[in-house]
Amino acid sequence: MTPEPILAASGKNSLCVNGGIIESVWAPGSFVDVVDARDAMRATALLAQAGRMPMLSVMTDVEISAAARYEFAKSADVLAIAVLGSSAVDRVVAAATSRDTQYPHEFFTSRDDAVAWLSGFVRSPGGLAHDQHEATAPVPRSR
């Protein structure tokens, strides 16, 4: 785990690394615009250190602009993303965000299930993830 979280998007987003997974937590009730998305992606790049890492994105009760969703989809630092939410609205926001991603993208209501899924993308010291040979094209589903 990174010693101190990195704050992005004017403090609306807190990021750290835990067990090889970037954890991105958005403050409930936040509105995320394209400037916020770009700032969060800069923080993600710092944590990924020129590599690609799986990400757990906690987005309960968060609204994301269309421009921000498009910006997030372009991320080159994310290997796979699990979006953690708690409501039907969170599920719809996650589905809209997944449309343009070039990496696996799943929605979860259980943190344990999300982390278990992402663990399959954590890279071992020797290279590829223990049960992934290559990231495949996204097949958005929800769990």
Side-chain angles (χ1 to χ4, degrees):
M1 192 160 182
T2 53
E4 294 291 324
I6 295 174
L7 295 179
S10 300
K12 294 186 264 187
N13 185 228
S14 175
L15 299 101
C16 66
V17 176
N18 188 6
I21 297 169
I22 296 173
E23 293 187 11
S24 170
V25 180
W26 289 90
S30 295
F31 176 79
V32 180
D33 62 22
V34 72
V35 173
D36 296 330
R38 287 180 184 144
D39 194 43
M41 288 175 53
R42 278 190 290 276
T44 299
L46 284 172
L47 291 172
Q49 299 177 3
R52 295 177 69 210
M53 294 179 70
M55 175 183 276
L56 173 65
S57 183
V58 181
M59 303 195 82
T60 302
D61 189 30
V62 174
E63 187 179 345
I64 305 172
S65 73
R69 288 192 303 265
Y70 181 73
E71 197 68 28
F72 282 133
K74 297 186 315 184
S75 177
D77 302 301
V78 175
L79 183 62
I81 189 165
V83 176
L84 183 61
S86 62
S87 70
V89 172
D90 296 336
R91 184 179 303 271
V92 169
V93 169
T97 303
S98 73
R99 285 187 203 132
D100 299 313
T101 59
Q102 300 301 308
Y103 45 82
H105 186 285
E106 298 275 350
F107 177 83
F108 296 87
T109 55
S110 161
R111 180 183 179 82
D112 289 343
D113 290 346
V115 170
W117 182 74
L118 286 171
S119 293
F121 296 93
V122 174
R123 295 191 180 271
S124 66
L128 296 176
H130 64 277
D131 68 352
Q132 296 290 324
H133 296 289
E134 240 178 77
T136 58
V139 180
R141 300 183 304 232
S142 59
R143 296 179 185 206

